[in-house]
Amino acid sequence: MAAITAALVKELRDKTGAGMMDCKAALSANDGNLEAAIDWLRAKGLAKAAKKAGRVAAEGLVAVTVQGTEGVVAEVNSETDFVARNPEFQALAKSIADVALERGGDVEALLGHHYPGGGTVQEAIANAIATIGENMTLRRVAALKVSSGVIGSYVHGAIADGLGKIGVIVALESTGKGDELAALGRQLAMHVAATNPVALDLASVDPEVLEREKAILAEKNAGKPAHVLEKITESGLKSYAKENCLLEQAYIHDGSKSVAQVLKEIEGKVGAPVKLSGFARFALGEGIEKEEQDFAAEVAAVGGTAG
């Protein structure tokens, strides 16, 4: 039997849009023959999905599901905003988030898990593509869990319960009063939706990002003595943290306090220490390069007048 390499799996996935696990199975079943594997996937009901897989899916929905001390946010993309209002697509996005709540936030693993009603999540997406007629993808999933406390959530631009354009979950670790924590969790989730922090604190920021900030400060202050530059860099990073790190940001519901100060103050109300241990924020389509279409050029081409 031919070796099934990662490169071959990737090539098949790029050609068909099928999930990694399905691609591995197709290649294994066809002794590594790429064309036969494509036909095998088509025979399994992925033909329409494969034809549409090359089209950019940058619309869709962000789904948020919270149950007890666990929460999930998932982005399921479609080609047009119109599909996001389709009840079948909404049910798909919600159900995928529900499965992720049980199975975790690894997308590739999630695609192979059982989907309510039968088959896998990947097959459910393929069926929706065939039925609705647009390319769709499960782009990303994030899951948070606390040992005790609450998962706060907020959906911005909601078109149905737990479905919208921006979805946020935040994790509050505490043994304090649940109702007070739940109220704070929602307020913090709204804060995250509005400010889009890059990390919890400066220590959590990607080291490459910090090095870039330091390099910019050094370039702006080139020629200054080393001890002066060190103080400028320290001050500059503090300013960066106040703008970009959740705990240091000014709280949107009370700009006179930082998020860290708000957390400290509420400990008296809930009767226990409160720790903000994590957050996840998905904004629909962020980072996806959308195809720019020149409508005038399309019309000219159809009419045979394109130059």
Side-chain angles (χ1 to χ4, degrees):
M1 180 177 177
I4 309 301
T5 65
L8 192 59
V9 172
K10 182 180 184 302
E11 184 177 356
L12 179 58
R13 190 181 183 195
D14 290 343
K15 285 179 178 291
T16 65
M20 186 175 292
M21 295 176 70
D22 289 325
C23 288
K24 286 181 180 178
L27 288 165
S28 297
N30 293 279
D31 199 27
N33 184 298
L34 188 65
E35 294 304 318
I38 292 173
D39 292 342
W40 187 89
L41 287 169
R42 293 181 66 185
K44 292 291 183 181
L46 296 174
K48 291 188 177 181
K51 290 177 182 178
K52 296 175 174 67
R55 306 206 303 232
V56 176
E59 299 294 340
L61 289 168
V62 175
V64 172
T65 297
V66 175
Q67 187 172 19
T69 56
E70 299 180 45
V72 160
V73 56
E75 181 179 356
V76 183
N77 296 125
S78 61
E79 292 179 53
T80 65
D81 180 62
F82 179 77
V83 168
R85 303 181 186 282
N86 183 305
E88 290 184 31
F89 182 76
Q90 291 178 10
L92 175 72
K94 188 66 175 173
S95 294
I96 288 175
D98 289 343
V99 174
L101 193 65
E102 297 180 8
R103 301 296 184 176
D106 182 276
V107 171
E108 290 300 334
L110 188 60
L111 288 171
H113 279 301
H114 176 74
Y115 183 82
T120 65
V121 171
Q122 178 69 62
E123 289 168 345
I125 294 172
N127 290 336
I129 293 172
T131 301
I132 297 174
E134 284 195 9
N135 186 27
M136 299 173 198
T137 59
L138 171 58
R139 184 185 180 204
R140 50 183 175 163
V141 179
L144 293 176
K145 183 178 181 179
V146 292
S147 56
S148 61
V150 301
I151 301 295
S153 67
Y154 172 68
V155 175
H156 185 71
I159 64 172
D161 185 34
L163 300 171
K165 299 293 187 181
I166 298 175
V168 178
I169 51 176
V170 298
L172 290 176
E173 294 270 5
S174 179
T175 57
K177 298 175 184 177
D179 54 348
E180 294 281 357
L181 288 172
L184 175 63
R186 177 170 174 76
Q187 295 294 307
L188 286 172
M190 293 175 69
H191 172 99
V192 171
T195 63
N196 192 19
V198 300
L200 269 179
D201 52 28
L202 203 57
S204 303
V205 177
D206 185 332
E208 290 187 7
V209 173
L210 288 182
E211 288 304 315
R212 187 163 64 246
E213 291 299 317
K214 290 178 183 179
I216 293 171
L217 289 168
E219 186 175 345
K220 284 182 177 179
N221 297 277
K224 293 184 179 179
H227 70 282
V228 174
L229 184 59
E230 184 178 349
K231 289 182 178 180
I232 290 174
T233 300
E234 182 180 350
S235 176
L237 290 181
K238 284 182 179 179
S239 296
Y240 175 86
K242 288 180 179 179
E243 292 180 6
N244 299 284
C245 297
L246 178 53
L247 290 172
E248 300 301 321
Q249 287 179 328
Y251 192 42
I252 62 166
H253 304 290
D254 183 350
S256 66
K257 303 171 185 176
S258 68
V259 170
Q261 288 172 328
V262 170
L263 289 168
K264 193 64 180 175
E265 285 182 5
I266 202 170
E267 290 182 350
K269 288 185 179 181
V270 303
V274 179
K275 178 185 178 182
L276 176 53
S277 58
F279 71 92
R281 177 190 186 274
F282 288 176
L284 182 65
E286 62 187 346
I288 298 177
E289 291 188 12
K290 299 184 180 181
E291 293 176 334
E292 295 294 332
Q293 296 184 341
D294 187 338
F295 184 68
E298 279 189 31
V299 172
V302 171
T305 58

